[in-house]
Amino acid sequence: FSSRYPPPKKSSILGFSLGYKIKRVLKIKPCCLCLSLGISQVTKTVQGMAKLSCNYNISVDELSRVRIYWQKENKMVLSVISGRVQVWSQYQNRTIPEITNNLSLVILALRLSDRGTYTCVVQKTKKGSFQVEHLTSVMLSIKADFPTPSITDSEHPSPDLRRITCSTSGGFPKPYLFWLENGEEVKAVNTTVYQDPETELYTVYSNLDFNVTSNHSFVCLIKYGDLSVSQIFNWEKPKEDPPDDQLWKRKILIPVCVGIAIILGTCFICSKYYLYIIMISIPGNPNSISVFQHLSVILAYSLLVMVWM
């Protein structure tokens, strides 16, 4: 135990004495230890702030005569000896003591690795040596809730199949993803769960294929621990195009128009020859030629109007 609470250099016996007393309590009076520790529960979220109370007050004047130790399980977190604060490397720049507020330990930017049991030990001098004056523990739980998953359209494996993807990230503990339709589980194409080795947070995503020729209502359900999040995806099959009542007209008009084009072409060709003969037969009479030209044009327009009506 002396490695947990390093005593001043001039007194290595104090650490042994403290360790001996705690071991004796653990061995003989475990229930008394529970009472003396006064374990309380604190639950916070990732990236939040936790304030762990030692449940013990001292005055500023007493600070120079008191030793305060905060440790997490077998690792030191913070110590205050003769008013000097020392913070261990893992908690540097994000952990501070609040001496005037129940000797509380404040941890900022919480990580999942911060979860665990923290113990506060207060030592005071009695008869020339430091002895344990107060001992308490706090259980810190860190939760990381998954945000509501998103469902996106990813690709089309075939004309009648559609693929959707459900995904979410930044949660803990390990998630389990299910696809449901009408309360029944639907088999996914694939499901991937990934844990970031540094933050310990999870990412999960899954693909689902379905037939587009019928209506669907899918639920993407993600369970983690005692909690869950979900998202709904609805699909309506495409409406069929109404029958084209103009189709028969187009089928008839196409050959008719081709025939008319041939007739008109023939008419114009014949008109040119006819007008040429008139010009030779009746030279110097433009009125007769003009009349025949207008008749051919009128014939062409009349045929077009009849077709489209």
Side-chain angles (χ1 to χ4, degrees):
F1 194 87
S2 58
S3 60
R4 300 182 188 181
Y5 309 115
K9 295 180 180 179
K10 63 180 181 179
S11 177
S12 59
I13 300 177
L14 297 178
F16 174 81
S17 174
L18 175 60
Y20 171 76
K21 291 181 179 179
I22 291 181
K23 287 179 181 178
R24 187 176 60 182
V25 174
L26 285 170
K27 184 176 180 180
I28 300 175
K29 300 179 180 180
C31 294
C32 294
L33 175 64
C34 296
L35 294 175
S36 64
L37 289 176
I39 296 177
S40 58
Q41 296 280 342
V42 174
T43 301
K44 297 295 179 180
T45 58
V46 169
Q47 295 299 319
M49 179 197 75
K51 183 180 290 187
L52 312 181
S53 176
C54 189
N55 292 320
Y56 190 82
N57 281 315
I58 62 171
S59 64
V60 177
D61 295 336
E62 293 180 280
L63 191 59
S64 60
R65 303 186 299 273
V66 173
R67 295 177 182 171
I68 305 162
Y69 300 98
W70 272 103
Q71 80 167 46
K72 175 178 174 283
E73 296 160 357
N74 294 324
K75 296 182 179 180
M76 284 297 302
V77 176
L78 178 146
S79 67
V80 182
I81 299 176
S82 299
R84 180 177 173 272
V85 178
Q86 181 180 0
V87 180
W88 268 247
S89 59
Q90 186 180 351
Y91 298 88
Q92 284 283 352
N93 303 319
R94 64 188 190 96
T95 304
I96 56 174
E98 287 191 353
I99 303 300
T100 59
N101 185 13
N102 292 322
L103 301 182
S104 296
L105 177 72
V106 178
I107 306 175
L108 308 173
L110 287 169
R111 308 166 185 170
L112 282 175
S113 58
D114 292 332
R115 63 189 186 277
T117 301
Y118 291 76
T119 302
C120 174
V121 178
V122 180
Q123 293 180 335
K124 283 188 175 181
T125 54
K126 291 183 178 179
K127 299 179 180 180
S129 64
F130 281 94
Q131 298 181 15
V132 175
E133 178 71 17
H134 178 75
L135 180 68
T136 189
S137 291
V138 181
M139 174 70 75
L140 176 62
S141 299
I142 308 293
K143 65 177 184 176
D145 292 332
F146 282 96
T148 301
S150 62
I151 299 179
T152 56
D153 204 1
S154 55
E155 59 184 63
H156 305 280
S158 68
D160 291 337
L161 287 179
R162 199 179 191 96
R163 177 168 295 177
I164 54 177
T165 301
C166 178
S167 61
T168 187
S169 61
F172 186 88
K174 183 178 180 179
Y176 296 89
L177 189 148
F178 306 90
W179 288 99
L180 304 174
E181 184 176 23
N182 300 323
E184 299 291 333
E185 186 174 355
V186 182
K187 186 177 180 180
V189 176
N190 58 65
T191 300
T192 302
V193 178
Y194 169 76
Q195 185 180 26
D196 188 294
E198 182 177 350
T199 64
E200 300 183 55
L201 299 178
Y202 284 93
T203 296
V204 58
Y205 61 89
S206 178
N207 294 325
L208 176 71
D209 289 350
F210 65 92
N211 198 312
V212 299
T213 58
S214 58
N215 295 333
H216 296 279
S217 181
F218 296 110
V219 177
C220 176
L221 175 64
I222 298 173
K223 293 184 177 181
Y224 60 106
D226 297 329
L227 303 175
S228 65
V229 289
S230 63
Q231 182 63 277
I232 299 175
F233 177 85
N234 295 315
W235 171 262
E236 292 186 3
K237 64 179 181 179
K239 295 181 179 179
E240 298 180 356
D241 294 332
D244 190 357
D245 56 356
Q246 301 296 324
L247 181 61
W248 67 271
K249 292 183 179 180
R250 290 198 294 270
K251 290 182 178 180
I252 296 174
L253 286 178
I254 290 174
V256 170
C257 290
V258 172
I260 292 173
I262 295 172
I263 295 172
L264 289 177
T266 304
C267 290
F268 281 115
I269 293 172
C270 292
S271 297
K272 290 180 181 180
Y273 282 110
Y274 184 66
L275 292 176
Y276 183 74
I277 295 171
I278 294 299
M279 290 175 66
I280 295 175
S281 302
I282 313 174
N285 190 353
N287 293 330
S288 60
I289 296 172
S290 176
V291 170
F292 283 110
Q293 286 178 339
H294 283 296
L295 284 174
S296 63
V297 174
I298 290 171
L299 177 61
Y301 282 134
S302 299
L303 290 172
L304 289 173
V305 171
M306 290 174 63
V307 170
W308 289 108
M309 291 182 63

